Amino acid sequence: QVRLVESGGGSVQSGGSLRLSCAASGYTISSLYMAWFRQAPGKEREGVAAIVTGSPFYGDSVKGRFTISQDNAKNTVYLQMNILKPDDTAMYYCAAVEGVVGHILASTEYKYWGQGTQVTVSS
């Protein structure tokens, strides 16, 4: 059983930065596909970033601003978010799965989910 706990959310001004953390237990994250998704009110869940065996993947809306990374010793995945925009405001979820058969940023691929951490970016 994989457990994921997100932290690091908060409120920042436009242009600011936040770093989200996803602490995993029950599995070694190096053996998993790990991803960040976000969902804002009235919006569909959006794939933000994913990482597998150290290789990152990004959604178009965050490419160049966000960086996903992992610390295998801490069994933790991070999402560094820079140049934040109000449109980045959402609940951010960490997700994991043993293997992906479709698109790596498709939420339906993921089996394990954290409870989410809120990110709010003000103008």
Side-chain angles (χ1 to χ4, degrees), residues 20 50 122:
L20 307 184
S122 60

Side-chain angles (χ1 to χ4, degrees), residues 60-81:
D60 289 341
S61 64
V62 307
K63 197 171 297 182
R65 299 188 297 122
F66 291 12
T67 303
I68 189 170
S69 62
Q70 62 188 8
D71 185 337
N72 291 333
K74 296 181 178 179
N75 217 37
T76 298
V77 174
Y78 303 96
L79 184 68
Q80 179 67 47
M81 305 185 295

